[in-house]
């Protein structure tokens, strides 16, 4: 059974050059009311099965958030239709209608009533909401005394306990601390298990991969691809990667700060290859090569090639060089390429930067470039941490 | 249409909580608090009866009562014109960001002011008792009916003013003037019999005329209102509600984009 049917949806927004709001302005400056029609959605159709979790992905301005607003019924399409079967709840605007002077408990009633719950239904859920919010005795103090974390926890608890048939989510889980986020995520899984249909708009592709059964990639108001996240996300990342590669890389601007060394041996180009093709988005566990093209300007002894990989939060994930690995570079050609090959690139999903350097044993730099490349890793396995450890699970009985 | 009513019924708790919040929040922080609900109309009564029975000297027996039984229903009606026009605009943040049947907002507003009128009626009855006019209990049976008719009318007007204001912000200010004009075109300060015959048909086109006449029949003259009065009140109120509702549903689709 379909929970959501979307058929040939078109949506435009009027973009006014100079909009008159008042009667006088409308009357006097009629010619100012020129506007441009911007078609944000141009024929979107999809169905969502009952109990399915669907992720909408796409760049900023692709139309995915507009799509979600249409599903929420805040705005209406110019053409096409939407059928939603069941009660809809949204985790879009948390804490709607919260009154700062009223207590947390009173606000639960107000807020839940906006989702269309009757008093009886709220009474039945209130204990669960309070428990989930972890507010304890604070529940009877005015909401204005809450910290922003407490506020969001309360709001999220209400929205998640509505028991909707369809749940719409925009950029989940920016709520509270890490442990509360984990709790929210678990709650979402539980809700999904119970058969709730979920539609998520998110830039966190990892979450979509972990949570959704299907991903729909929207670009410029049309669906580019849809299928399992495993199929769609690499296509999307590839597309984004190509766009990203067009933007100038820090290494190409010789601004000295990122690059040091006397250039006796010079780094000409750095590329990353994934399964033989240049790419900066790869699946964890795939084959990755770092290719350093160099040129010897002045013959020098004892050159060492090194690489370093940093995660976007600054964690130094890995670093090594030809000296540590006891690779001889005595017979270095005048010009050539050095390849650092990783058969199984096991860093986990995140964004990383790559440093490369050519230096002597005692740390004198011929050429060193920080953050020469940025790259990101995605995965369809939910393991967490910095790197994936090659592992097996064994079960043995003691008898 | 039917499904819309069902949905609004589903959201009854939201309506109730909006009404509660409004009633409780209205006088929050003021010393006299809820007492203002009674004090405000009493003060208006004092001013008008001073002017019209001592200075202008309208030839009506017990003018203060004559005026009071019409003034309280008028205050209810004028809420649709003044504060009612801003109900969608004031809830901008909610309307822009979450879904709920938009009809809930005007309904809650009309209900809040209706309840306020009911509270004021406590004072009305006290004034009637003090005046010694007496109460006709058979006529009194018609009071809930005329209140219901007025509620219908107020709801219809609120649908109109609140939705159109979203597109034309001036309406809120225009309404203040219209409110004053409308009051003087309704037989509140004067009796319908004082209107020159030539203008009478026009005055009767005013949906509030029949409503006020009926209130006054019941509470001041202590008699059952004419069936004609009731009929024209019902018809006009229903027409206004239907038109108001249709306009509202037609233009509410673009609220979120306009706000």
């Amino acid at each position: 059974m379909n929970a959501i049917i979307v058929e040939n949806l078109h949506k435009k927004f009027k973009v006014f050059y100079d909009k008159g709001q008042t009667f006088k302005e409308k009357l006097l400056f009629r010619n100012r009311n020129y506007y441009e029609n911007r078609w944000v959605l141009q024929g979107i159709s999809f169905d969502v099965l009952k109990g399915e979790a669907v992720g909408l992905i796409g760049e900023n301005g692709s139309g995915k958030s507009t799509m979600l607003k249409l599903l929420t019924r805040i705005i209406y399409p110019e053409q096409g239709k939407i059928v939603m079967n069941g009660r809809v709840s949204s985790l879009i605007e948390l804490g709607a209608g919260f009154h700062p002077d009223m207590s947390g408990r009173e606000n639960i009633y107000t807020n839940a009533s906006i989702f269309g719950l009757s008093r009886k239904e709220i009474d039945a859920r209130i204990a669960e909401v309070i428990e989930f919010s972890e507010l304890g005795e604070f529940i009877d103090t005015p909401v204005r005394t809450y910290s922003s974390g407490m506020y969001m926890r309360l709001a999220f608890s209400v929205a998640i306990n509505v028991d909707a048939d369809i749940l719409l989510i925009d950029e989940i889980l920016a709520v509270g601390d890490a442990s509360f986020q984990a709790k929210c995520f678990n709650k979402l899984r539980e809700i999904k298990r119970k058969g709730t249909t979920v539609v998520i708009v998110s830039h966190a592709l990892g979450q979509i991969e972990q949570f959704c059964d299907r991903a729909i990639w929207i670009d410029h108001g049309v669906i580019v691809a849809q299928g399992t996240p495993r199929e769609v996300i690499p296509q999307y990342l590839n597309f984004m990667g190509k766009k990203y590669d067009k933007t100038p890389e820090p290494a190409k601007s010789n601004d000295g700060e990122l690059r040091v060394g006397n250039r006796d041996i010079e780094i000409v180009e750095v590329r990353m290859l994934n399964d033989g093709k240049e790419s900066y988005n790869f699946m964890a566990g795939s084959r990755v090569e770092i290719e350093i093209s160099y040129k010897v300007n002045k013959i020098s002894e004892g050159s060492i090639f090194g690489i370093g990989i940093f995660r976007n939060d600054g964690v130094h994930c890995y670093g090594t060089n030809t000296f540590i690995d006891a690779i001889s570079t005595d017979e270095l050609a005048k010009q050539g390429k050095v390849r650092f090959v990783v058969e199984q690139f096991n860093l986990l999903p995140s964004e990383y930067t790559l440093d490369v350097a050519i230096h002597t044993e005692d740390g004198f730099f011929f050429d060193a470039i920080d953050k020469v490349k940025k790259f990101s890793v995605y995965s369809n396995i939910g393991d967490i941490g910095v790197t994936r450890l090659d592992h097996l699970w064994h079960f043995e009985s003691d008898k | 249409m039917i499904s819309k009513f069902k949905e609004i019924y589903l959201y009854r708790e939201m309506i109730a909580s909006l009404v509660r919040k409004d009633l409780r929040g209205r006088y929050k922080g003021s010393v006299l608090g809820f007492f203002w609900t009674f004090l405000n109309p009493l003060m208006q009564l004092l001013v008008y009866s001073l002017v019209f029975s001592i200075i202008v000297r309208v030839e009506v027996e017990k003018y203060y009562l004559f005026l009071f039984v019409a003034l309280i229903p008028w205050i209810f009606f004028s809420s649709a014109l003044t504060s009612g026009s801003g109900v969608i605009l004031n809830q901008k943040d909610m309307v822009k960001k979450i879904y709920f049947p938009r009809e809930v907002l005007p309904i809650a507003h009309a209900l809040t002011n209706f309840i306020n009128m009911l509270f004021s009626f406590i004072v009305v009855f006290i004034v009637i008792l003090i005046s010694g006019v007496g109460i006709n209990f058979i006529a009194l049976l018609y009071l809930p009916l005329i209140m219901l008719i007025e509620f219908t009318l107020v709801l219809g007007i609120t649908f109109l003013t609140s939705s159109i204001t979203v597109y034309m912000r001036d309406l809120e200010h225009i309404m203040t003037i219209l409110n004053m004009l409308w009051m003087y075109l309704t037989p509140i300060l004067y009796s319908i019999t004082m209107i020159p015959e030539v203008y009478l048909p026009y005055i009767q086109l005013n949906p509030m005329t029949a409503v006020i006449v009926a209130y006054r029949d019941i509470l001041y003259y202590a008699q059952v209102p004419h069936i004609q009065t009731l009929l024209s009140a019902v018809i006009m109120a229903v027409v206004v509600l239907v038109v108001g509702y249709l306009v509202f549903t037609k233009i509410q689709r673009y609220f979120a984009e306009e706000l």
Side-chain angles (χ1 to χ4, degrees), chain B residues 164-206:
Chain B
I164 296 173
T165 304
V166 174
Y167 296 87
M168 217 172 79
R169 306 285 159 97
D170 280 37
L171 203 69
E172 245 182 316
H173 308 289
I174 294 172
M175 278 304 151
T176 328
I177 304 164
L178 189 68
N179 181 41
M180 190 175 68
L181 185 70
W182 203 322
M183 176 167 172
Y184 285 103
L185 290 179
T186 310
I188 297 164
L189 297 166
Y190 50 86
S191 148
I192 191 156
T193 52
M194 295 177 192
I195 301 164
E197 200 125 347
V198 239
Y199 301 118
L200 204 57
Y202 302 106
I203 293 290
Q204 269 163 346
L205 270 180
N206 172 0

Side-chain angles (χ1 to χ4, degrees), chain B residues 15-24 26-27 34 37-38 41 72 75-77 79 107-123 147 150-151 154 215:
Chain B
I15 296 176
S17 93
L18 282 170
V19 170
R20 233 176 292 135
K21 202 157 78 173
D22 201 9
L23 283 177
R24 238 195 291 170
R26 184 168 297 195
Y27 303 109
F34 200 69
T37 310
F38 308 115
I72 297 298
I75 292 172
F76 172 41
F77 177 77
S79 72
I107 292 173
H109 183 266
L111 260 178
T112 307
N113 287 288
F114 184 70
I115 292 168
N116 260 324
M117 178 174 78
L118 291 184
F119 282 126
S120 304
F121 257 90
I122 299 172
V123 188
M147 283 176 162
E150 196 192 359
F151 179 77
V154 166
Y215 271 111

Side-chain angles (χ1 to χ4, degrees), chain B residues 64-124:
Chain B
Y64 63 94
L65 186 66
F66 174 85
L67 176 63
F68 201 36
V69 298
L71 190 64
I72 297 298
W74 171 260
I75 292 172
F76 172 41
F77 177 77
S78 84
S79 72
L81 297 179
T82 52
S83 57
S85 59
V87 281
I88 304 286
L89 218 55
N90 294 339
Q91 300 288 357
K92 205 183 195 163
D93 292 330
M94 239 157 76
V95 172
K96 263 161 73 175
K97 283 169 183 158
I98 48 171
Y99 174 80
F100 55 88
R102 308 312 189 197
E103 289 81 358
V104 160
L105 294 174
I107 292 173
H109 183 266
L111 260 178
T112 307
N113 287 288
F114 184 70
I115 292 168
N116 260 324
M117 178 174 78
L118 291 184
F119 282 126
S120 304
F121 257 90
I122 299 172
V123 188
V124 172

Side-chain angles (χ1 to χ4, degrees), chain A residues 59-80:
Chain A
E59 287 177 84
N60 289 329
S62 60
K64 59 183 192 311
S65 290
T66 303
M67 187 61 238
L68 200 71
K69 276 189 189 163
L70 284 163
L71 290 177
T72 328
R73 290 174 296 169
I74 297 169
I75 54 175
Y76 293 82
E78 258 69 42
Q79 207 189 315

Side-chain angles (χ1 to χ4, degrees), chain A residues 62-318:
Chain A
S62 60
K64 59 183 192 311
S65 290
T66 303
M67 187 61 238
L68 200 71
K69 276 189 189 163
L70 284 163
L71 290 177
T72 328
R73 290 174 296 169
I74 297 169
I75 54 175
Y76 293 82
E78 258 69 42
Q79 207 189 315
K81 69 168 189 185
I82 301 174
V83 181
M84 309 271 277
N85 294 314
R87 175 183 267 160
V88 182
S89 170
S90 62
L91 294 184
I92 296 174
E93 183 58 18
L94 291 173
F98 267 23
H99 196 295
D101 284 333
M102 294 216 252
S103 74
R105 191 187 299 274
E106 286 171 305
N107 271 307
I108 292 175
Y109 279 93
T110 317
N111 191 224
S113 74
I114 296 171
F115 289 110
L117 259 61
S118 70
R119 181 155 271 267
K120 228 194 250 167
E121 286 173 303
I122 304 171
D123 285 335
R125 286 168 177 77
I126 192 147
E128 211 177 324
V129 173
I130 295 171
E131 199 211 303
F132 192 84
S133 71
E134 297 174 2
L135 282 169
E137 62 206 72
F138 288 105
I139 200 69
D140 289 310
T141 55
V143 164
R144 72 184 136 79
T145 64
Y146 288 13
S147 69
S148 59
M150 287 159 79
Y151 185 94
M152 290 312 281
R153 256 158 42 204
L154 181 63
F156 187 88
S157 307
V158 179
I160 204 94
N161 281 304
V162 166
D163 284 353
D165 303 306
I166 301 169
L167 187 62
L168 306 171
I169 306 173
D170 195 355
E171 293 297 346
I172 8 167
L173 307 185
V175 194
D177 54 18
S179 80
F180 191 74
Q181 282 187 19
K183 191 170 156 185
C184 293
F185 209 78
N186 286 335
K187 180 77 185 177
L188 281 179
R189 283 183 214 269
E190 185 194 315
I191 283 171
K192 192 190 155 199
R193 242 196 330 271
K194 281 188 195 156
T196 306
T197 311
V198 183
V199 179
I200 302 178
V201 163
S202 183
H203 288 287
L205 298 174
Q207 283 177 354
I208 289 198
E209 247 175 43
Q210 285 177 44
F211 189 74
C212 294
D213 306 308
R214 185 149 58 105
I216 297 176
W217 168 20
I218 296 174
D219 192 48
H220 289 96
V222 291
I223 294 178
V224 182
Q226 59 173 312
T228 62
R230 229 180 247 234
E231 292 160 14
V232 177
I233 290 177
Q235 292 178 42
Y236 170 64
L237 281 172
N238 213 354
F239 168 83
M240 291 297 283
K242 277 192 191 118
K243 276 191 82 154
Y244 188 74
D245 284 350
K246 284 179 201 145
T247 59
E249 292 294 328
K252 278 162 196 152
S253 62
N254 294 329
D255 56 5
E257 269 186 41
L258 293 167
R259 191 164 184 171
V260 291
N262 67 359
R263 311 274 171 99
D264 281 354
I265 303 173
E266 190 182 332
I267 297 167
V268 181
E269 199 193 357
V270 178
R271 296 200 304 160
M272 295 184 81
L273 304 160
N274 182 213
D275 296 327
K277 276 178 291 185
E278 183 168 359
S279 168
Y280 298 92
N281 296 297
F282 14 84
M283 172 93 86
S286 62
R287 180 190 159 96
V288 172
E289 293 174 37
I290 299 168
E291 183 190 85
I292 306 164
S293 305
Y294 69 90
K295 193 168 83 183
V296 180
N297 293 327
K298 196 176 146 204
I299 299 198
S300 317
E301 299 250 308
S303 55
I304 294 167
F305 287 77
I307 62 112
I309 293 170
F310 290 82
R311 200 163 64 184
N312 58 357
D313 60 358
V315 172
H316 190 172
C317 297
Y318 193 68

